[in-house]
Amino acid sequence: MQSLAKGGVLMSSISIIGSGAVGQSHGEYLTTLGHDVIYYDISVESLSKIQNRQTTVSLEQALIKSEVSFICVPTAFKKEFDKSALLDVINQMVHLLEKKGHHHLVVIKSTVLPGTTEKDIQPLLKGLDVSLCVNPEFMTEISQSWTNDRSYQISAYNEARIVIGSSNKEAGDEVAKLYSASKVPIIHTDIKTAEMCKYAANCNLAMKISYWNEIHLLCVKLDIDSNIVAKIAAMDPRIGAYGTVHGKAFGGKCLPKDLKSLISLAESLGEPELLRAVDAINEKMKKSHGVRE
Ligand SMILES: NC(=O)c1ccc[n+]([C@@H]2O[C@H](COP(=O)([O-])OP(=O)(O)OC[C@H]3O[C@@H](n4cnc5c(N)ncnc54)[C@H](O)[C@@H]3O)[C@@H](O)[C@H]2O)c1
């Protein structure tokens, strides 16, 4: 059910499917934009962290109470890209959306390898009155193990761009309308391009960290303070500060698994020499210097 919220913004009822770090952060942002958000998760523990908001452990309730669903379930790397949680939840949704019998907008926020949505998800939703889009998440969690500087923390509020991948303009516009109260620039692409944007961005960040770790190892041998070198280099806007925070392997929930997933895709298509080197340096740093989370 759509109605007008404060400031004339069209309010939508939205379900967050998978209410972990991304689901909670994005749900809060959508609430700020004036939407009515319900959080669904299979984990009671995840939902218990959400205060003063509608939550449910029933996927059916989440879908009945919403016209839009943002899918924020985990995607892992376990010898290969693991999309099992995503396929599991989409398979359950097919049956429930069929039963509901109304138009529904499904937005994939989970990080998925290029081709996943068109090859694995679109066919499952065929025949339903569903619009399907990909809207990658670019948030960055910071932790004291690598920096206390909050300027590195990215969330929907200070994001550089909102990317919406769709196979038709109407579907893309449906998602863009949800962000009409946002000041962040919106870029429309096809589905595969949107999926690739996320990997290209994360693997670039990973590459910068491995690069600066290699410079660090060289500086140690030459008795040079790599922090001074990095600070001076980062003053050049073409280089920037993020990757120059060096000295440990990159860790956290995303960079290692997204890099390894992209390598596995790239290996099926050619020889990803640079991506492999980024990973090899990181594995070496993990053993010798530990991991920044
Ligand atoms: N954490 C980040 O900074 C970040 C940034 C950008 C993109 N991403 C991507 O977003 C996705 C989610 O990441 P996250 O960090 O929020 O993960 P998370 O582990 O914090 O949260 C995932 C949530 O999904 C729930 N879940 C698992 N299987 C489910 C199912 N079948 N049905 C319903 N809920 C289910 C889990 O219980 C958990 O609460 C991943 O694809 C990740 O790569 C994460």
Side-chain angles (χ1 to χ4, degrees):
M1 175 76 65
Q2 287 196 319
S3 57
L4 282 183
K6 251 188 338 201
V9 175
L10 209 51
M11 184 185 103
S12 293
S13 306
I14 298 176
S15 51
I16 298 292
I17 310 297
S19 301
V22 166
Q24 288 181 34
S25 163
H26 199 63
E28 276 312 291
Y29 183 58
L30 292 167
T31 303
T32 320
L33 295 183
H35 302 297
D36 188 19
V37 175
I38 180 164
Y39 296 85
Y40 161 74
D41 205 289
I42 47 169
S43 155
V44 175
E45 197 193 330
S46 291
L47 293 178
S48 71
K49 294 179 189 145
I50 303 169
Q51 304 296 315
N52 307 318
R53 300 278 183 247
Q54 281 190 89
T55 62
T56 180
V57 286
S58 158
L59 182 56
E60 183 165 23
Q61 278 307 305
L63 297 183
I64 287 171
K65 290 189 172 172
S66 63
E67 61 214 331
V68 181
S69 296
F70 276 85
I71 315 295
C72 310
V73 297
T75 47
F77 181 83
K78 293 176 187 163
K79 290 193 180 149
E80 58 180 19
F81 174 62
D82 178 8
K83 55 199 166 200
S84 56
L86 180 64
L87 296 184
D88 180 39
V89 87
I90 296 286
N91 271 311
Q92 291 178 55
M93 285 175 73
V94 168
H95 161 68
L96 296 169
L97 289 174
E98 220 163 31
K99 196 165 144 195
K100 189 181 166 196
H102 292 295
H103 178 73
H104 205 86
L105 171 60
V106 176
V107 188
I108 309 295
K109 244 210 179 289
S110 300
T111 301
V112 295
L113 275 177
T116 305
T117 303
E118 283 169 338
K119 198 164 129 295
D120 301 310
I121 299 174
Q122 228 160 25
L124 295 174
L125 297 169
K126 208 172 163 197
L128 293 175
D129 182 7
V130 164
S131 300
L132 177 64
C133 290
V134 168
N135 173 215
E137 173 63 45
F138 296 100
M139 74 182 246
T140 299
E141 295 176 283
I142 67 164
S143 96
Q144 293 181 353
S145 80
W146 70 279
T147 183
N148 290 320
D149 184 346
R150 298 224 151 254
S151 69
Y152 290 105
Q153 190 162 32
I154 302 291
S155 74
Y157 298 91
N158 62 347
E159 183 49 77
R161 70 298 200 203
I162 291 169
V163 179
I164 301 170
S166 63
S167 51
N168 65 73
K169 186 177 174 330
E170 292 73 30
D173 287 347
E174 275 185 70
V175 181
K177 264 192 216 148
L178 301 172
Y179 294 117
S180 57
S182 164
K183 299 206 174 357
V184 179
I186 295 178
I187 299 155
H188 289 271
T189 68
D190 60 35
I191 287 180
K192 266 197 293 197
T193 304
E195 291 169 331
M196 189 61 178
C197 284
K198 173 64 189 167
Y199 283 91
N202 265 11
C203 294
N204 183 279
L205 298 176
M207 180 187 71
K208 289 176 87 168
I209 298 165
S210 277
Y211 170 81
W212 277 101
N213 277 334
E214 190 155 288
I215 294 292
H216 169 68
L217 297 176
L218 193 55
C219 282
V220 170
K221 286 193 176 136
L222 293 167
D223 196 22
I224 294 167
D225 186 337
S226 59
N227 284 309
I228 295 175
V229 176
K231 210 169 172 181
I232 293 168
M235 291 169 82
D236 183 334
R238 293 171 302 172
I239 295 171
Y242 178 89
T244 65
V245 182
H246 62 273
K248 281 184 172 184
F250 53 80
K253 285 201 264 184
C254 292
L255 296 191
K257 65 128 178 132
D258 290 348
L259 175 65
K260 287 180 196 294
S261 294
L262 191 63
I263 290 172
S264 74
L265 173 67
E267 280 175 343
S268 70
L269 302 167
E271 290 294 322
E273 291 172 41
L274 180 56
L275 294 175
R276 277 186 191 143
V278 172
D279 191 38
I281 293 168
N282 204 53
E283 289 300 329
K284 195 169 77 179
M285 285 300 288
K286 240 191 234 175
K287 289 191 189 114
S288 57
H289 290 69
V291 182
R292 74 184 222 184
E293 290 303 335

